[in-house]
Amino acid sequence: MKEILGNISGIRHNTIERLKQLYNEIVPSGQPVSQKIVNTLAALTQEINREIALYINRRGQIVALAVGDAHTVALPDIKEKRSANKLSGIRCIHTHPDGNSMLSSIDFASLKEMRFDSMTAIGVREGTAVAASCGFISGFADGIYKTEAVGPLALFEFINLDHTALIQDIERILCRQTTANTQEEIEQALLVGIENIRLWDVQDSLQELAQLAETAGAVVVGQTWQKRERPDSTFFVGKGKLREISLLCQQCHANLILFDDELLPSQQRNIEQELGVKVLDRTALILDIFAQRARSHEGKLQVELAQLKYSLPRLSGQGLSLSRLGGGIGTRGPGETKLEVDRRRIRSRISTIEEEIDTIRAQRSLHRAKRQESRVPMVALVGYTNAGKSTLLNRLTAAKVMVEDKLFATLDPTTRRFPLNNGREILLTDTVGFIQKLPHQLIAAFRATLEEISYASLLLHVVDGSSTLYQEQSTAVMQVLQELQLRDKPLLTVFNKIDKIDNSHVVERLLREENSIAVSALNNTGIDTLVETIESFFNKQTVDTELSIPYNDSGIISHLYQSAIVYHIDYREDAIYVKASLSRELRNRYGSYTTGED
């Protein structure tokens, strides 16, 4: 159960439990709040004679609840800070026990400071909500947010406000005003999807597409989808839907249309010619994010290779995309000049990159051979993008890998040594995150990097246990592992971010999955159990053995220290006696030295 912020001293236990029950309420889509929540707030406000504040996200979920007064009510910690043209995604609904619904100066200050979607005060008198006033950010000038307020309004007028449309209008205004002095036009994206019989719900998939768009630097101004069995061969969507998209682009001032599936080159060309707007698909968007994120020489080569292979069949259909002097999403990486050259030169560039990657691959194989020679086992972290793999690597090894709450924060693999509690040392490798509909060009380009996974003794499948889509995300990861022919690898499912889960029953349900464990890499919960589980896995792969090693072969001792767990060494006259835990491969290798006492 979530906590109540602010001052709850002197409030009866029964009342506190009724306050906590508000977390279970969901506000209907489009409404600022429901009548049921208003009635409950009014009754509780009368009972405790204090302000009650609810903080509601755009899904209609109550994410925080506070009790206090105008001076002491606690503000929630909004972790996801957005750009200047975006609101926080949270609205505040709070009560005034004195019956006055007018917003105070403190209310307006909080509205601007937290950049709330809206700030509403509800006047309560004798346990009844009598009126509401709603404040919102109305513009941006000289580095300051401007605010406006409407009300007092009758409760039915306030509840029936189209809150979603209001927020969209505000963000469009902010987008224009905060970028008025910038040279490069911010890309305002309209998202388009198709609803059919598949694992992902179209709204969930479009929500992830919105995250991808924001990661790439676009502002999402709207979304739409069409229900159909299969895409239209000419326009992907039907002609009627295409006309609707054209109208939406005008209403939302969209200058970019993002499709949630990969378009055929002819479909992309037809849509651009029909609408006169830049069109990109999900694949191009992911490739663009990779182009922004690649840091190492190998990573940049892999992204360029994937982009060139994607662009090659689309050269004749990228008029609008390539004619934009300002660049933008879909034009980063190889650059416009390289994409405009003829097919022969692009194929030549592809060949050159593939040769460079093969050289790097050969060097990687040498490093891998040295690791195999030392017999140090490897554990690979795999999982959906933003599941917390890098945070877990940092927690276990103090690797100091960059961690961001963004999609594809890690592209280049990182390997660190990790000593277990029993003295054994393993290698822990972080890998690029997967995603649904991961472009085949990327899988092919990053195959040399992903090969590291195939040499791992154990895969740790890191899952964001707090996500409502964890099952769909897990399936997407398994599909990529299947494509890489790695489904038969030993795998331990690590449900991460349990600090974000307030219901213990949810965690219990997660742990019903075979070979699973629940942790929070952020606050260290369950990490000791995870380490013990890894140790247990490798203990089952080893055999306690006693060796009698002649002094002439004493060089074996240093190798044993590197590749096994050495319990005891006894230097006797006839030989060196060693008690150690060996892998079955090492035991076979040094079988001639065994004493028969293990």
Side-chain angles (χ1 to χ4, degrees):
M1 184 68 69
K2 294 198 175 184
E3 64 176 337
I4 299 176
L5 305 174
N7 177 22
I8 60 174
S9 63
I11 300 177
R12 292 182 299 177
H13 176 74
N14 176 266
T15 304
I16 291 175
E17 290 304 310
R18 288 162 58 202
L19 282 165
K20 289 182 177 180
Q21 288 300 316
L22 284 166
Y23 278 112
N24 299 324
E25 298 293 333
I26 299 293
V27 178
S29 177
Q31 291 183 204
V33 72
S34 69
Q35 184 68 56
K36 180 182 178 182
I37 292 175
V38 169
N39 292 342
T40 304
L41 279 177
L44 290 168
T45 298
Q46 172 71 13
E47 187 173 332
I48 66 176
N49 196 29
R50 302 181 197 178
E51 284 191 14
I52 303 173
L54 300 182
Y55 302 94
I56 306 169
N57 66 20
R58 292 183 185 177
R59 293 183 181 180
Q61 300 166 324
I62 296 173
V63 296
L65 189 155
V67 172
D69 54 44
H71 297 276
T72 64
V73 69
L75 296 177
D77 180 18
I78 299 176
K79 296 179 180 178
E80 185 177 332
K81 299 299 182 183
R82 298 191 172 199
S83 58
N85 52 43
K86 301 287 285 184
L87 300 174
S88 68
I90 303 291
R91 59 185 176 272
C92 175
I93 309 284
H94 71 289
T95 57
H96 286 173
D98 60 2
N100 180 8
S101 71
M102 300 302 292
L103 293 166
S104 67
S105 59
I106 294 177
D107 291 332
F108 282 109
S110 299
L111 172 65
K112 291 191 285 187
E113 177 187 353
M114 304 300 291
R115 222 181 307 159
F116 286 126
D117 285 359
S118 61
M119 169 67 76
T120 300
I122 298 175
V124 175
R125 186 177 296 117
E126 297 179 354
T128 302
V130 293
S133 297
C134 183
F136 51 88
I137 290 173
S138 59
F140 183 85
D142 300 323
I144 299 173
Y145 288 101
K146 298 184 292 182
T147 60
E148 289 184 17
V150 293
L153 301 172
L155 262 298
F156 79 92
E157 290 180 299
F158 170 65
I159 290 172
N160 289 305
L161 279 175
D162 190 342
H163 193 266
T164 301
L166 173 67
I167 299 313
Q168 290 175 345
D169 288 341
I170 292 172
E171 291 195 331
R172 278 196 291 271
I173 292 170
L174 290 178
C175 183
R176 289 195 297 270
Q177 294 180 347
T178 56
T179 59
N181 297 324
T182 61
Q183 294 182 352
E184 183 176 343
E185 179 185 11
I186 285 185
E187 291 176 292
Q188 301 185 90
L190 175 68
L191 312 183
V192 180
I194 279 186
E195 181 179 13
N196 52 23
I197 301 173
R198 60 182 181 183
L199 182 65
W200 284 68
D201 178 79
V202 64
Q203 295 185 59
D204 291 331
S205 192
L206 286 175
Q207 181 183 342
E208 184 175 84
L209 185 67
Q211 287 183 278
L212 289 167
E214 291 186 2
T215 300
V219 175
V220 176
V221 294
Q223 65 179 39
T224 185
W225 65 87
Q226 184 178 39
K227 188 172 184 177
R228 56 186 302 139
E229 291 185 6
R230 62 182 63 87
D232 179 76
S233 59
T234 304
F235 294 112
F236 190 77
V237 294
K239 290 185 178 179
K241 191 66 178 180
L242 196 68
R243 287 192 291 271
E244 180 185 330
I245 291 172
S246 178
L247 290 174
L248 282 173
C249 283
Q250 296 176 38
Q251 294 171 4
C252 302
H253 306 287
N255 54 21
L256 169 65
I257 302 176
L258 291 174
F259 281 81
D260 195 32
D261 294 273
E262 185 166 328
L263 299 173
L264 296 172
S266 59
Q267 291 172 328
Q268 181 178 354
R269 180 169 60 253
N270 293 337
I271 298 168
E272 286 186 337
Q273 290 176 347
E274 189 75 15
L275 301 182
V277 178
K278 179 180 174 182
V279 173
L280 292 176
D281 58 21
R282 186 185 184 96
T283 298
L285 183 61
I286 294 175
L287 291 173
D288 183 88
I289 293 171
F290 271 59
Q292 296 182 54
R293 298 272 170 159
R295 294 292 180 267
S296 70
H297 177 60
E298 181 184 6
K300 291 177 181 178
L301 286 176
Q302 289 166 329
V303 173
E304 182 177 356
L305 177 62
Q307 286 187 308
L308 289 173
K309 286 186 174 181
Y310 170 81
S311 301
L312 186 58
R314 290 170 167 77
L315 286 178
S316 60
Q318 290 203 351
L320 282 171
S321 297
L322 297 182
S323 63
R324 286 179 167 270
L325 297 178
I329 298 173
T331 63
R332 284 176 279 249
E336 295 178 70
T337 55
K338 288 182 180 177
L339 294 178
E340 288 175 314
V341 300
D342 58 46
R343 296 178 185 275
R344 180 183 59 81
R345 291 181 62 189
I346 287 184
R347 289 195 181 100
S348 175
R349 177 60 181 158
I350 288 174
S351 178
T352 300
I353 293 175
E354 287 178 335
E355 289 176 3
E356 286 191 61
I357 289 178
D358 285 341
T359 301
I360 295 173
R361 187 176 183 179
Q363 294 172 348
R364 191 187 298 278
S365 296
L366 289 175
H367 292 304
R368 189 184 299 124
K370 290 181 179 179
R371 290 206 303 264
Q372 288 180 301
E373 179 67 24
S374 67
R375 298 299 191 274
V376 178
M378 185 173 77
V379 174
L381 300 171
V382 299
Y384 209 75
T385 180
N386 208 29
K389 297 182 296 298
S390 296
T391 303
L392 183 58
L393 179 74
N394 289 343
R395 172 64 66 182
L396 292 171
T397 67
K400 297 183 180 179
V401 173
M402 180 191 71
V403 174
E404 289 185 85
D405 188 17
K406 291 184 178 180
L407 304 183
F408 301 116
T410 301
L411 289 190
D412 300 312
T414 302
T415 300
R416 294 288 186 271
R417 288 184 175 270
F418 175 47
L420 299 176
N421 295 329
N422 60 9
R424 177 186 294 278
E425 191 173 67
I426 64 172
L427 296 175
L428 202 59
T429 296
D430 189 12
T431 60
V432 63
F434 301 151
I435 198 169
Q436 66 145 336
K437 307 175 191 173
L438 188 65
H440 293 285
Q441 297 90 344
L442 273 178
I443 295 177
F446 277 76
R447 188 170 294 276
T449 300
L450 294 173
E451 274 183 356
E452 289 292 307
I453 303 175
S454 65
Y455 290 90
S457 303
L458 174 66
L459 302 183
L460 296 186
H461 178 198
V462 183
V463 181
D464 180 357
S466 67
S467 172
T468 57
L469 298 173
Y470 79 89
Q471 291 178 320
E472 292 86 348
Q473 293 175 355
S474 296
T475 300
V477 171
M478 290 304 171
Q479 288 173 346
V480 176
L481 291 178
Q482 179 71 42
E483 188 167 343
L484 295 169
Q485 299 180 340
L486 296 173
R487 283 293 297 269
D488 295 331
K489 281 278 182 185
L491 184 142
L492 174 65
T493 302
V494 181
F495 288 107
N496 190 25
K497 303 187 182 182
I498 62 167
D499 54 299
K500 295 184 177 181
I501 303 175
D502 299 298
N503 191 333
S504 60
H505 296 297
V506 174
V507 178
E508 290 173 6
R509 187 176 69 247
L510 294 175
L511 293 177
R512 289 173 192 163
E513 182 166 330
E514 187 179 1
N515 295 326
S516 63
I517 189 171
V519 307
S520 170
L522 190 64
N523 64 18
N524 206 31
T525 303
I527 297 299
D528 290 341
T529 306
L530 173 61
V531 174
E532 290 171 3
T533 305
I534 296 173
E535 287 179 356
S536 176
F537 170 81
F538 284 108
N539 286 340
K540 294 176 182 177
Q541 316 299 314
T542 60
V543 179
D544 286 346
T545 307
E546 184 169 315
L547 304 174
S548 175
I549 302 173
Y551 280 93
N552 290 338
D553 296 334
S554 60
I556 294 174
I557 304 296
S558 61
H559 182 254
L560 288 175
Y561 272 112
Q562 291 178 344
S563 55
I565 301 175
V566 178
Y567 298 127
H568 179 70
I569 292 184
D570 186 9
Y571 291 89
R572 303 179 188 174
E573 290 187 8
D574 57 329
I576 306 171
Y577 287 82
V578 180
K579 288 185 178 181
S581 178
L582 307 180
S583 66
R584 299 188 184 279
E585 182 184 359
L586 276 179
R587 192 183 188 285
N588 292 334
R589 181 175 179 179
Y590 297 123
S592 60
Y593 299 107
T594 57
T595 64
E597 296 183 13
D598 51 298

